Amino acid sequence: MLLKDKIIIITGVGPGMGRKMALLAAAEGAKVAVSARSEGFIKDVVGEITAAGGNAIAVPTDVADMAQCQRLADATVEAFGSITGLVNSAYRHGPMGGSFEAGDLEEWAANMNVTCFGALRMAKAVLPAMKKAGGGAIVNVGTMAAVKPMAGEEDYATAKAAMNGATRQLAREFGKYNIRVNMTRMGWLWGAAVKGYITWAAQNQGVSEQSLIDPIIRNIPIGVIPPDEECAKSVLFFVSDYSKMVTGATLDVNGGEYMAP
């Protein structure tokens, strides 16, 4: 029970890695507040958790709204008594296949507001409870695209890169409260989101899905697109006590496709 007695909020829970993180966290002994804008989906995830004997609540939240972020923190404390972990995985992505030249900077600003500032709002919302608990751990979920630019990822990657800087800043400030702040930088995640993208790209380009998958795999030393469930474990490592002496760090989770210097 790697996360026994932990009380964790996970934002941006969708059908991919977010759902896997919530299920794994509960299976490892954590009490979990499952959050996203889609109330129906997160209620289904909580249903899966409770059916397996876990403990979770669903709290619909738009992280672009500070009041809703505070409501999520308050609901978690009311349900479980405290907060010891926060996983910021909520994000916003602009239209696929865009570019800076043709793009709308207001769209970029909207993405930044959700992806980076949403994480900052949540950090501010959970801070009092974590201080009262004597410490905690915050994990910001980033992207390899922030350090290995990819066409069509401009707005998303920029917002995640800003989150990377914010991670180190918060780690420096929150250390005095025994609160650790780290980041996982995800590459390709084989799950619902990437499968959907591959299907869309294949149809858009008039090619087979396998013809798009093969070159991705060739760039990954371990020889597979990392399954989202395995990548979820890397995120949860940072809210566990196994990373108790780690803060301000970024962990690349991409099967070796990008290796930080």
Side-chain angles (χ1 to χ4, degrees):
M1 302 292 277
L2 185 66
L3 301 176
K4 187 176 183 294
D5 299 326
K6 301 296 185 186
I7 300 167
I8 300 170
I9 294 173
I10 304 176
T11 69
V13 173
M17 191 177 72
R19 172 179 168 272
K20 302 292 178 58
M21 281 194 291
L23 296 175
L24 284 167
E28 289 290 347
K31 296 179 176 70
V32 186
V34 182
S35 178
R37 289 185 300 168
S38 176
E39 183 174 7
F41 182 81
I42 59 176
K43 283 185 174 179
D44 289 344
V45 174
V46 168
E48 290 185 78
I49 290 171
T50 55
N55 199 345
I57 59 171
V59 186
T61 306
D62 181 352
V63 297
D65 182 347
M66 186 66 212
Q68 292 189 45
C69 292
Q70 189 60 59
R71 185 186 66 186
L72 171 56
D74 292 344
T76 305
V77 172
E78 181 179 353
F80 302 133
S82 186
I83 302 168
T84 62
L86 166 65
V87 177
N88 282 312
S89 64
Y91 71 93
R92 186 180 187 276
H93 200 301
M96 301 298 294
S99 69
F100 176 79
E101 184 177 7
D104 179 356
L105 289 184
E106 292 306 313
E107 182 79 18
W108 284 46
N111 294 347
M112 183 72 72
N113 187 41
V114 172
T115 304
C116 182
F117 281 87
L120 293 173
R121 290 184 190 97
M122 284 306 309
K124 185 174 282 289
V126 304
L127 181 57
M130 286 191 176
K131 288 170 65 176
K132 187 175 180 179
I138 298 172
V139 189
N140 295 324
V141 178
T143 178
M144 179 178 69
V147 289
K148 185 183 178 184
M150 300 172 65
E153 297 288 315
E154 293 84 1
D155 49 2
Y156 173 67
T158 299
K160 290 289 192 180
M163 183 193 281
N164 196 12
T167 297
R168 293 192 295 270
Q169 186 63 40
L170 294 186
R172 179 68 181 86
E173 183 172 337
F174 288 5
K176 61 189 176 186
Y177 304 125
N178 193 33
I179 298 171
R180 301 178 293 105
V181 188
N182 293 292
M183 187 168 192
T184 55
R185 198 156 49 200
M186 321 309 289
W188 292 96
L189 297 169
W190 191 246
V194 165
K195 290 176 183 177
Y197 165 74
I198 293 292
T199 298
W200 170 85
Q203 293 172 348
N204 191 54
Q205 298 174 33
V207 299
S208 71
E209 293 185 13
Q210 197 60 45
S211 71
L212 298 177
I213 293 170
D214 288 343
I216 294 172
I217 292 175
R218 282 197 293 271
N219 287 327
I220 301 175
I222 64 171
V224 298
I225 298 177
D228 56 9
E229 182 170 358
E230 295 302 318
C231 296
K233 295 174 183 177
S234 298
V235 179
L236 296 178
F237 161 74
F238 274 131
V239 293
S240 80
D241 288 342
Y242 278 88
S243 59
K244 211 167 187 178
M245 291 295 109
V246 183
T247 194
T250 297
L251 176 66
D252 286 300
V253 186
N254 55 50
E257 182 176 358
Y258 173 83
M259 301 182 189

